[in-house]
Amino acid sequence: MPLNAPAHDPLLEAAQAQVSLEQAAAIAAERFAERGELLRLAGERDLNFQITRTDGSACLLKLSHPLEDVQVVDFQTGALLRVQQADPTLPVQRVYPDQEGNYQGWVEVDGQRMLARLLSFVEGLPLHRIKQRSPALRRNLGDALARLDLALHGYSHPASGHELLWDMQQAARLRPLLQHIENADERALVERSLDAFETHALPLQKELRAQVIHNDLNPHNVIVDAEHPEVLRNILDFGDMVYAPLINELGVAAAYQLGTEGDVLAPALEFIAAYHSRNPLQEVEQAILADLMATRLVMTLSITAWRASLHPENRDYILRNAHQARASLQGLAALSRSEARERIARACQEESHA
């Protein structure tokens, strides 16, 4: 798709499917022999139902959106199986077969045809509920993401290059969405940051090493231990996976490790250094990482403003990351590009010599 084509994603524009708890329970019982108390969880596209069994353990029934491409779902399922085989101890969501041995299968509810999958569910706290994140937590998370990317290295699938609005390679297409950002100063900041991406990072995208990446390590997709929050329990939601430059993975994830006041870059440097220790970054990747972090924040602010205007009934969930994204982007913009680049390079160099 041309870079100047307008942003478009039917899945994000469409309303969610409608499935009751009773209907979801019937699917869980008939296809997966799972029974228990169901609770619907929030989600952007898919429907997610936590199933708590009588022994207190739990699992997750995921029903893909009726408009979702079956090949894209198969791409995601294959990645989960790949990671489970390549790094069995990595705390990543698991996928389980149904009673016929299939990891995904069609179900129909009131004329809505969807793919059903059964996934693991791990108790703990979502990272966004941890207000004070320790250096140990940031380092553990950076190391886990590096392990995830190493596990995914070499994984291929026909749908890996599917069109995805959240794919940073396509960020230049977001300009038509900026009109939905109501605050003029914020909109101007987003425009300047997008200009910087197009000038410094976009020309290099096709030259960088690339692979399948998770592409969405935001605080809602990370579960930590409730008593010891530095301990990572689970990485969730492979729904935004795509084949892309590897450094885009870190650009996405590190954007969520930025602070919201003072020296906003400092917390992210600990995360970046830990990733680099396990999966070393190339110099050209380090040089554009700050641009990519800013671009992820731009994508968050523009896409969520647009989607909130389309789905006001789901506004709170859609805008859950907007406040932090705004504050982090303002703080990052206060640094010169050269300063941010030099600090990232120094953090990686110090980690290499540690």
Side-chain angles (χ1 to χ4, degrees), residues 172 175 191-204 288 291 295 337:
R175 287 195 184 274
E191 289 173 345
R192 291 194 300 272
S193 301
L194 195 52
D195 289 342
F197 166 77
E198 293 181 353
T199 300
H200 301 293
L202 182 58
L204 298 174
I288 62 170
D291 300 308
T295 303
R337 185 172 182 273

PDB file of all heavy atoms in Angstrom, residues 172 175 191-204 288 291 295 337:
ATOM      1  N   ALA A 172       3.343   7.028   8.383  1.00  0.00           N
ATOM      2  CA  ALA A 172       3.116   8.215   7.550  1.00  0.00           C
ATOM      3  C   ALA A 172       1.673   8.311   7.067  1.00  0.00           C
ATOM      4  O   ALA A 172       1.213   9.405   6.704  1.00  0.00           O
ATOM      5  CB  ALA A 172       4.067   8.193   6.353  1.00  0.00           C
ATOM      6  N   ARG A 175      -1.513  10.796   9.019  1.00  0.00           N
ATOM      7  CA  ARG A 175      -1.760  12.249   9.027  1.00  0.00           C
ATOM      8  C   ARG A 175      -3.239  12.621   8.940  1.00  0.00           C
ATOM      9  O   ARG A 175      -3.676  13.552   9.632  1.00  0.00           O
ATOM     10  CB  ARG A 175      -0.974  12.918   7.903  1.00  0.00           C
ATOM     11  CG  ARG A 175       0.518  12.989   8.201  1.00  0.00           C
ATOM     12  CD  ARG A 175       1.248  13.949   7.282  1.00  0.00           C
ATOM     13  NE  ARG A 175       2.684  13.927   7.541  1.00  0.00           N
ATOM     14  CZ  ARG A 175       3.280  14.655   8.466  1.00  0.00           C
ATOM     15  NH1 ARG A 175       2.565  15.480   9.222  1.00  0.00           N
ATOM     16  NH2 ARG A 175       4.594  14.570   8.638  1.00  0.00           N
ATOM     17  N   GLU A 191       2.443  16.425  14.944  1.00  0.00           N
ATOM     18  CA  GLU A 191       2.869  16.673  13.565  1.00  0.00           C
ATOM     19  C   GLU A 191       4.388  16.800  13.460  1.00  0.00           C
ATOM     20  O   GLU A 191       5.006  16.240  12.542  1.00  0.00           O
ATOM     21  CB  GLU A 191       2.194  17.938  13.036  1.00  0.00           C
ATOM     22  CG  GLU A 191       0.702  17.771  12.772  1.00  0.00           C
ATOM     23  CD  GLU A 191       0.026  19.079  12.400  1.00  0.00           C
ATOM     24  OE1 GLU A 191       0.642  20.154  12.630  1.00  0.00           O
ATOM     25  OE2 GLU A 191      -1.100  19.041  11.877  1.00  0.00           O
ATOM     26  N   ARG A 192       5.001  17.508  14.402  1.00  0.00           N
ATOM     27  CA  ARG A 192       6.458  17.661  14.379  1.00  0.00           C
ATOM     28  C   ARG A 192       7.155  16.316  14.577  1.00  0.00           C
ATOM     29  O   ARG A 192       8.166  16.020  13.931  1.00  0.00           O
ATOM     30  CB  ARG A 192       6.904  18.651  15.463  1.00  0.00           C
ATOM     31  CG  ARG A 192       6.505  20.096  15.199  1.00  0.00           C
ATOM     32  CD  ARG A 192       7.248  21.052  16.116  1.00  0.00           C
ATOM     33  NE  ARG A 192       6.992  20.809  17.532  1.00  0.00           N
ATOM     34  CZ  ARG A 192       5.989  21.355  18.218  1.00  0.00           C
ATOM     35  NH1 ARG A 192       5.136  22.162  17.592  1.00  0.00           N
ATOM     36  NH2 ARG A 192       5.840  21.096  19.506  1.00  0.00           N
ATOM     37  N   SER A 193       6.613  15.510  15.464  1.00  0.00           N
ATOM     38  CA  SER A 193       7.209  14.198  15.725  1.00  0.00           C
ATOM     39  C   SER A 193       7.070  13.285  14.512  1.00  0.00           C
ATOM     40  O   SER A 193       7.993  12.515  14.193  1.00  0.00           O
ATOM     41  CB  SER A 193       6.548  13.560  16.948  1.00  0.00           C
ATOM     42  OG  SER A 193       6.710  14.377  18.099  1.00  0.00           O
ATOM     43  N   LEU A 194       5.962  13.375  13.826  1.00  0.00           N
ATOM     44  CA  LEU A 194       5.770  12.571  12.619  1.00  0.00           C
ATOM     45  C   LEU A 194       6.701  13.046  11.505  1.00  0.00           C
ATOM     46  O   LEU A 194       7.239  12.241  10.735  1.00  0.00           O
ATOM     47  CB  LEU A 194       4.309  12.638  12.175  1.00  0.00           C
ATOM     48  CG  LEU A 194       3.826  11.603  11.157  1.00  0.00           C
ATOM     49  CD1 LEU A 194       4.164  10.193  11.605  1.00  0.00           C
ATOM     50  CD2 LEU A 194       2.329  11.745  10.924  1.00  0.00           C
ATOM     51  N   ASP A 195       6.921  14.352  11.446  1.00  0.00           N
ATOM     52  CA  ASP A 195       7.892  14.890  10.485  1.00  0.00           C
ATOM     53  C   ASP A 195       9.281  14.303  10.742  1.00  0.00           C
ATOM     54  O   ASP A 195      10.000  13.933   9.803  1.00  0.00           O
ATOM     55  CB  ASP A 195       7.968  16.419  10.597  1.00  0.00           C
ATOM     56  CG  ASP A 195       6.721  17.127  10.076  1.00  0.00           C
ATOM     57  OD1 ASP A 195       5.960  16.496   9.323  1.00  0.00           O
ATOM     58  OD2 ASP A 195       6.529  18.303  10.430  1.00  0.00           O
ATOM     59  N   ALA A 196       9.671  14.228  12.013  1.00  0.00           N
ATOM     60  CA  ALA A 196      10.987  13.703  12.364  1.00  0.00           C
ATOM     61  C   ALA A 196      11.115  12.232  11.972  1.00  0.00           C
ATOM     62  O   ALA A 196      12.165  11.790  11.488  1.00  0.00           O
ATOM     63  CB  ALA A 196      11.236  13.884  13.860  1.00  0.00           C
ATOM     64  N   PHE A 197      10.057  11.468  12.173  1.00  0.00           N
ATOM     65  CA  PHE A 197      10.066  10.061  11.770  1.00  0.00           C
ATOM     66  C   PHE A 197      10.281   9.945  10.271  1.00  0.00           C
ATOM     67  O   PHE A 197      11.115   9.145   9.803  1.00  0.00           O
ATOM     68  CB  PHE A 197       8.749   9.390  12.167  1.00  0.00           C
ATOM     69  CG  PHE A 197       8.525   8.045  11.517  1.00  0.00           C
ATOM     70  CD1 PHE A 197       9.191   6.922  11.983  1.00  0.00           C
ATOM     71  CD2 PHE A 197       7.659   7.910  10.442  1.00  0.00           C
ATOM     72  CE1 PHE A 197       9.002   5.679  11.382  1.00  0.00           C
ATOM     73  CE2 PHE A 197       7.456   6.674   9.838  1.00  0.00           C
ATOM     74  CZ  PHE A 197       8.131   5.560  10.310  1.00  0.00           C
ATOM     75  N   GLU A 198       9.543  10.720   9.502  1.00  0.00           N
ATOM     76  CA  GLU A 198       9.653  10.640   8.050  1.00  0.00           C
ATOM     77  C   GLU A 198      11.027  11.089   7.558  1.00  0.00           C
ATOM     78  O   GLU A 198      11.524  10.597   6.536  1.00  0.00           O
ATOM     79  CB  GLU A 198       8.551  11.475   7.397  1.00  0.00           C
ATOM     80  CG  GLU A 198       7.158  10.921   7.643  1.00  0.00           C
ATOM     81  CD  GLU A 198       6.069  11.738   6.968  1.00  0.00           C
ATOM     82  OE1 GLU A 198       6.385  12.815   6.415  1.00  0.00           O
ATOM     83  OE2 GLU A 198       4.910  11.308   7.001  1.00  0.00           O
ATOM     84  N   THR A 199      11.663  11.995   8.273  1.00  0.00           N
ATOM     85  CA  THR A 199      12.976  12.493   7.874  1.00  0.00           C
ATOM     86  C   THR A 199      14.101  11.542   8.256  1.00  0.00           C
ATOM     87  O   THR A 199      14.988  11.243   7.447  1.00  0.00           O
ATOM     88  CB  THR A 199      13.247  13.869   8.524  1.00  0.00           C
ATOM     89  OG1 THR A 199      12.248  14.802   8.098  1.00  0.00           O
ATOM     90  CG2 THR A 199      14.630  14.381   8.142  1.00  0.00           C
ATOM     91  N   HIS A 200      14.069  11.023   9.483  1.00  0.00           N
ATOM     92  CA  HIS A 200      15.215  10.287  10.015  1.00  0.00           C
ATOM     93  C   HIS A 200      15.054   8.766  10.015  1.00  0.00           C
ATOM     94  O   HIS A 200      16.043   8.055   9.800  1.00  0.00           O
ATOM     95  CB  HIS A 200      15.504  10.755  11.445  1.00  0.00           C
ATOM     96  CG  HIS A 200      15.802  12.209  11.561  1.00  0.00           C
ATOM     97  ND1 HIS A 200      16.934  12.783  11.037  1.00  0.00           N
ATOM     98  CD2 HIS A 200      15.087  13.225  12.135  1.00  0.00           C
ATOM     99  CE1 HIS A 200      16.925  14.081  11.277  1.00  0.00           C
ATOM    100  NE2 HIS A 200      15.826  14.378  11.939  1.00  0.00           N
ATOM    101  N   ALA A 201      13.874   8.264  10.302  1.00  0.00           N
ATOM    102  CA  ALA A 201      13.702   6.822  10.488  1.00  0.00           C
ATOM    103  C   ALA A 201      13.087   6.114   9.284  1.00  0.00           C
ATOM    104  O   ALA A 201      13.521   5.013   8.919  1.00  0.00           O
ATOM    105  CB  ALA A 201      12.848   6.557  11.731  1.00  0.00           C
ATOM    106  N   LEU A 202      12.099   6.716   8.677  1.00  0.00           N
ATOM    107  CA  LEU A 202      11.395   6.054   7.580  1.00  0.00           C
ATOM    108  C   LEU A 202      12.320   5.671   6.430  1.00  0.00           C
ATOM    109  O   LEU A 202      12.208   4.552   5.903  1.00  0.00           O
ATOM    110  CB  LEU A 202      10.255   6.940   7.080  1.00  0.00           C
ATOM    111  CG  LEU A 202       9.395   6.349   5.959  1.00  0.00           C
ATOM    112  CD1 LEU A 202       8.769   5.031   6.390  1.00  0.00           C
ATOM    113  CD2 LEU A 202       8.308   7.344   5.534  1.00  0.00           C
ATOM    114  N   PRO A 203      13.248   6.528   6.006  1.00  0.00           N
ATOM    115  CA  PRO A 203      14.120   6.142   4.884  1.00  0.00           C
ATOM    116  C   PRO A 203      14.971   4.909   5.146  1.00  0.00           C
ATOM    117  O   PRO A 203      15.442   4.269   4.198  1.00  0.00           O
ATOM    118  CB  PRO A 203      15.001   7.391   4.693  1.00  0.00           C
ATOM    119  CG  PRO A 203      14.205   8.521   5.244  1.00  0.00           C
ATOM    120  CD  PRO A 203      13.479   7.926   6.421  1.00  0.00           C
ATOM    121  N   LEU A 204      15.168   4.562   6.412  1.00  0.00           N
ATOM    122  CA  LEU A 204      16.013   3.418   6.762  1.00  0.00           C
ATOM    123  C   LEU A 204      15.234   2.125   6.960  1.00  0.00           C
ATOM    124  O   LEU A 204      15.847   1.046   7.072  1.00  0.00           O
ATOM    125  CB  LEU A 204      16.791   3.720   8.048  1.00  0.00           C
ATOM    126  CG  LEU A 204      17.759   4.902   7.997  1.00  0.00           C
ATOM    127  CD1 LEU A 204      18.345   5.151   9.385  1.00  0.00           C
ATOM    128  CD2 LEU A 204      18.870   4.644   6.991  1.00  0.00           C
ATOM    129  N   ILE A 288      18.244   5.601  15.636  1.00  0.00           N
ATOM    130  CA  ILE A 288      16.872   6.040  15.345  1.00  0.00           C
ATOM    131  C   ILE A 288      15.870   5.596  16.409  1.00  0.00           C
ATOM    132  O   ILE A 288      14.668   5.833  16.267  1.00  0.00           O
ATOM    133  CB  ILE A 288      16.391   5.530  13.959  1.00  0.00           C
ATOM    134  CG1 ILE A 288      16.359   3.992  13.927  1.00  0.00           C
ATOM    135  CG2 ILE A 288      17.278   6.098  12.849  1.00  0.00           C
ATOM    136  CD1 ILE A 288      15.680   3.430  12.692  1.00  0.00           C
ATOM    137  N   ASP A 291      13.563   8.283  17.783  1.00  0.00           N
ATOM    138  CA  ASP A 291      12.553   8.659  16.793  1.00  0.00           C
ATOM    139  C   ASP A 291      11.403   7.661  16.778  1.00  0.00           C
ATOM    140  O   ASP A 291      10.228   8.035  16.656  1.00  0.00           O
ATOM    141  CB  ASP A 291      13.181   8.729  15.396  1.00  0.00           C
ATOM    142  CG  ASP A 291      14.295   9.748  15.295  1.00  0.00           C
ATOM    143  OD1 ASP A 291      14.073  10.906  15.684  1.00  0.00           O
ATOM    144  OD2 ASP A 291      15.392   9.383  14.834  1.00  0.00           O
ATOM    145  N   THR A 295       7.475   8.065  17.686  1.00  0.00           N
ATOM    146  CA  THR A 295       6.478   7.699  16.676  1.00  0.00           C
ATOM    147  C   THR A 295       5.408   6.796  17.256  1.00  0.00           C
ATOM    148  O   THR A 295       4.215   6.921  16.925  1.00  0.00           O
ATOM    149  CB  THR A 295       7.161   7.016  15.480  1.00  0.00           C
ATOM    150  OG1 THR A 295       8.156   7.898  14.949  1.00  0.00           O
ATOM    151  CG2 THR A 295       6.151   6.690  14.391  1.00  0.00           C
ATOM    152  N   ARG A 337      17.440  15.839  19.589  1.00  0.00           N
ATOM    153  CA  ARG A 337      17.577  14.520  18.991  1.00  0.00           C
ATOM    154  C   ARG A 337      18.964  13.952  19.247  1.00  0.00           C
ATOM    155  O   ARG A 337      19.126  12.753  19.521  1.00  0.00           O
ATOM    156  CB  ARG A 337      17.281  14.593  17.497  1.00  0.00           C
ATOM    157  CG  ARG A 337      17.290  13.242  16.797  1.00  0.00           C
ATOM    158  CD  ARG A 337      16.816  13.315  15.360  1.00  0.00           C
ATOM    159  NE  ARG A 337      16.805  11.986  14.794  1.00  0.00           N
ATOM    160  CZ  ARG A 337      17.869  11.412  14.220  1.00  0.00           C
ATOM    161  NH1 ARG A 337      19.007  12.087  14.132  1.00  0.00           N
ATOM    162  NH2 ARG A 337      17.791  10.188  13.734  1.00  0.00           N
TER     163      ARG A 337
END
